[in-house]
Amino acid sequence: MSVKGAELELKSLPRVSARRRMADRTVQSLVYAAFVIAIIPLVSVLWMVVTRGMERLDLDFLTFSMNGLSSSDEGGGANHAIVGTLQQVGLTAVMAVPLGILTGVYLVEYGGNSRLARVITFFVDVMTGIPSIVAGLFILAFWLLALGFEYSGFAGALALAILMMPTVVRATEEMLKLVPNDLREASYALGVPRWRTICFVVLPTALTGIVTGVMLAVARVMGETAPLLLLVFITDAINSNPFEGPQGSLPTFIWYQAGDPNPQAIERAWAAALTLILIIMLLNLGARLLARLRKPVSR
Amino acid sequence: MAKRIEISGLHAYYGAVHAIEDISMTVEPRSVTAFIGPSGCGKSTFLRTLNRMHEVIPGARVEGKVMLDDEDLYGSDVDPVAVRRVVGMVFQRPNPFPTMSIYDNVAAGLKLNGVRRKSQLDEIVERSLKGANLWNEVKDRLSRPGAGLSGGQQQRLCIARAIAVQPQVLLMDEPCSALDPISTLAIEDLIAELKSQYTIVIVTHNMQQAARVSDRTAFFNIAGTGKPGKLIEIDDTSKIFTNPSEKATEDYITGRFG
């Protein structure tokens, strides 16, 4: 051993050994392989939805409902479902986003290590894991059966809000934790009260991250089907009042059309799936643009 | 505008840790007072008690009296937020608000406290940036982000931000330790100008800097790890650096300290 060591010292800088080169190559190819395997389902899903969906996605599809059409008929559209989804998710966001952001602000800025903060964190964690059907059943038992309300888009939005809130809380919490304490102190040192510091220094700094988190939460609830089947039911006609009667929605539309053996219905299901993806993408782009507009131009 | 600070019997704690012990001193108005001493001796903690920033840290508390002219900063009905408007602070690392432009950074303290008149803001922003010797460098790009400036410019931006709310006292916690010598010189020149209007307290690890910029110097020390920091002596800077009364001060200044 000592002889070997001495030998090494005498020679010039040693080359990378064959073993290390092998290990480097192996790990590198493993990483690339993992990346490719992960991307295959993503790309193939997108490809499938885009190619199949494009066949029926046209102006008719976006502007007509299924009112008076049977599933074997050509034509028809998802307008009633688009209206329903936008209203339901809109109502959900109106309820869940302010609640979620305020909870996140409380946890990071005020709660500290208090018992209340720990309890809230625990329940938010539990809520993150609630299956959507359970949230649906809860609102069904509470809102429809106990309180006696009818099927409505709003009932669905209540269940979706339960699913969305923990995601928003989590995203807000993580982003606020990333805001350096220096900035809070700089603001306090200017004689700015705490709540103003939070509103005008801390939240704007974390804004981009919070917006991303909210959009992820919106995308998640937009595809939920189970609670809507329980609470909003299905209709083929346009119902633009989310507070009364059954409404259409894209996930339930897809579910209903895809379960039908007629090829016309299957086509509509693909087109609706593509519409759903497009809506989420547009919302995402819009939100990012808004978040960017609020920042000072950097060049 | 500048006010005298009289501190008597001041103790500061972090939870159960006794950070500084029984400090009494007077900080003269329209002058620069430097705090020197080894790391961990409580200089920064003491500085932060002077505008009630110490208590921002959970579990931290202060005992004793800090009189700003004839008002006790720790009086029972004193609002810490109001104290910080009168006693401004510049931090070790430049910390401009990243979402705000240069203009908004300087105007932040005013805007967040309800000043909305554009003409008034314009005037104060220009005066503060001029006061911080930054106006000529940034006057053509006031709407650019403050974080895009160099480190030295950012620190001067933070000074402009601090003086925009027109405090009586300016606390500086090692304002040059993250800066290059040129930027340091710019800040030191600025301190020399500002002292005609403000009471300035500066913490520094750089003894040449203390000797250059300050009128009076306070030396802090700790007896050992875990013990609270103490004020050893405070005197005219020339006296501290040539003929200090305490042996510990002389040892530290001549480098015979650890």
Side-chain angles (χ1 to χ4, degrees):
Chain A
M1 195 61 212
S2 62
V3 178
K4 247 187 185 174
E7 230 172 296
L8 268 179
E9 255 173 65
L10 288 175
K11 283 187 180 159
S12 59
L13 290 173
R15 310 250 164 113
V16 178
S17 71
R19 246 194 83 204
R20 269 183 59 194
R21 222 174 312 163
M22 269 282 287
D24 182 42
R25 290 267 164 77
T26 319
V27 173
Q28 210 171 36
S29 40
L30 276 176
V31 168
Y32 279 118
F35 169 72
V36 170
I37 292 171
I39 212 89
I40 284 172
L42 267 176
V43 171
S44 64
V45 164
L46 255 183
W47 177 251
M48 193 99 164
V49 173
V50 170
T51 48
R52 300 265 189 112
M54 286 306 281
E55 284 171 25
R56 262 302 269 118
L57 189 63
D58 47 25
L59 210 59
D60 276 2
F61 186 79
L62 297 177
T63 49
F64 282 92
S65 75
M66 288 297 291
N67 205 9
L69 293 173
S70 85
S71 58
S72 58
D73 289 336
E74 294 274 345
N79 183 278
H80 60 300
I82 296 169
V83 168
T85 283
L86 288 179
Q87 287 185 344
Q88 288 150 24
V89 174
L91 282 171
T92 306
V94 165
M95 288 185 284
V97 171
L99 263 179
I101 289 181
L102 288 175
T103 309
V105 166
Y106 171 78
L107 287 177
V108 177
E109 303 291 329
Y110 292 94
N113 225 350
S114 69
R115 168 170 287 202
L116 179 62
R118 283 202 307 265
V119 170
I120 293 176
T121 308
F122 174 74
F123 280 109
V124 167
D125 281 348
V126 171
M127 276 174 80
T128 316
I130 292 182
S132 56
I133 186 86
V134 174
L137 283 172
F138 168 67
I139 298 296
L140 178 72
F142 172 70
W143 188 254
L144 269 66
L145 299 181
L147 297 181
F149 287 97
E150 299 264 311
Y151 287 126
S152 70
F154 180 69
L158 282 176
L160 295 184
I162 292 178
L163 298 170
M164 186 174 179
M165 216 186 63
T167 327
V168 177
V169 173
R170 269 290 129 127
T172 310
E173 212 186 334
E174 295 306 321
M175 288 305 131
L176 290 181
K177 277 185 190 159
L178 287 181
V179 175
N181 225 7
D182 289 8
L183 295 181
R184 295 186 183 92
E185 292 207 332
S187 178
Y188 295 151
L190 291 172
V192 178
R194 199 168 187 185
W195 68 272
R196 274 181 184 267
T197 301
I198 292 169
C199 291
F200 298 106
V201 176
V202 179
L203 281 175
T205 308
L207 183 74
T208 328
I210 294 176
V211 166
T212 309
V214 167
M215 289 325 297
L216 280 176
V218 165
R220 188 203 151 176
V221 300
M222 213 172 240
E224 287 296 348
T225 322
L228 302 182
L229 284 174
L230 290 173
L231 302 166
V232 191
F233 206 55
I234 295 177
T235 166
D236 283 341
I238 297 169
N239 170 11
S240 51
N241 181 0
F243 295 98
E244 213 185 323
Q247 261 192 323
S249 68
L250 281 168
T252 53
F253 180 85
I254 295 167
W255 174 79
Y256 192 70
Q257 299 290 333
D260 195 289
N262 289 301
Q264 294 84 350
I266 307 277
E267 274 180 4
R268 281 191 289 266
W270 282 112
L274 182 58
T275 313
L276 189 57
I277 291 177
L278 286 177
I279 289 177
I280 290 169
M281 254 176 55
L282 281 178
L283 283 177
N284 219 325
L285 281 177
R288 266 156 204 272
L289 219 74
L290 264 182
R292 189 167 300 173
L293 282 182
R294 300 230 342 134
K295 284 195 169 173
V297 262
S298 54
R299 278 191 54 76
Chain B
M1 199 157 149
K3 290 195 175 183
R4 171 181 283 105
I5 316 172
E6 279 190 65
I7 301 111
S8 49
L10 190 112
H11 298 254
Y13 304 84
Y14 292 101
V17 180
H18 197 172
I20 48 175
E21 187 179 29
D22 196 23
I23 293 184
S24 301
M25 68 160 76
T26 304
V27 176
E28 297 295 336
R30 292 173 202 284
S31 71
V32 179
T33 304
F35 292 174
I36 60 171
S39 291
C41 70
K43 311 177 295 286
S44 294
T45 304
F46 179 55
L47 191 76
R48 291 166 62 97
T49 62
L50 301 183
N51 67 342
R52 299 194 64 169
M53 282 295 285
H54 177 65
E55 64 208 68
V56 168
I57 298 161
R61 65 199 163 84
V62 176
E63 284 167 13
K65 235 180 182 180
V66 179
M67 301 294 289
L68 193 67
D69 279 357
D70 47 6
E71 277 180 294
D72 186 359
L73 297 188
Y74 286 93
S76 56
D77 53 350
V78 171
D79 178 5
V81 171
V83 170
R84 293 176 203 136
R85 267 172 225 171
V86 181
V87 185
M89 189 162 194
V90 176
F91 295 83
Q92 183 171 356
R93 274 194 304 164
N95 51 4
F97 299 127
T99 54
M100 296 185 194
S101 65
I102 293 172
Y103 181 99
D104 287 336
N105 258 288
V106 180
L110 299 157
K111 271 192 176 171
L112 297 184
N113 282 315
V115 179
R116 286 270 174 269
R117 274 230 330 274
K118 183 87 172 79
S119 59
Q120 196 185 351
L121 284 175
D122 284 349
E123 190 194 316
I124 295 175
V125 167
E126 181 171 345
R127 176 168 12 108
S128 309
L129 283 170
K130 279 180 175 159
N133 283 335
L134 192 60
W135 176 250
N136 286 329
E137 289 156 67
V138 302
K139 64 181 178 209
D140 302 321
R141 44 172 174 162
L142 290 174
S143 59
R144 301 275 178 80
L149 298 172
S150 76
Q153 288 173 325
Q154 285 188 19
Q155 193 61 302
R156 276 180 284 150
L157 179 65
C158 292
I159 294 175
R161 182 174 69 183
I163 59 180
V165 291
Q166 293 177 299
Q168 325 258 334
V169 178
L170 203 55
L171 308 177
M172 298 181 153
D173 190 355
E174 298 185 43
C176 302
S177 65
L179 305 181
D180 67 287
I182 307 279
S183 308
T184 301
L185 190 68
I187 305 265
E188 285 180 9
D189 288 346
L190 176 58
I191 292 171
E193 280 171 38
L194 290 175
K195 80 172 181 184
S196 61
Q197 292 178 59
Y198 301 93
T199 306
I200 295 178
V201 184
I202 175 172
V203 169
T204 177
H205 269 296
N206 181 333
M207 277 183 276
Q208 285 81 7
Q209 182 171 61
R212 280 193 301 262
V213 301
S214 72
D215 303 297
R216 286 169 67 78
T217 298
F219 173 62
F220 293 78
N221 206 348
I222 31 171
T225 340
K227 302 253 175 61
K230 275 185 181 172
L231 173 65
I232 304 298
E233 64 175 313
I234 173 166
D235 214 325
D236 288 340
T237 299
S238 53
K239 182 145 186 301
I240 290 275
F241 281 98
T242 52
N243 186 22
S245 331
E246 299 285 333
K247 179 85 168 47
T249 316
E250 193 182 331
D251 286 352
Y252 182 72
I253 285 164
T254 51
R256 254 174 288 159
F257 176 94

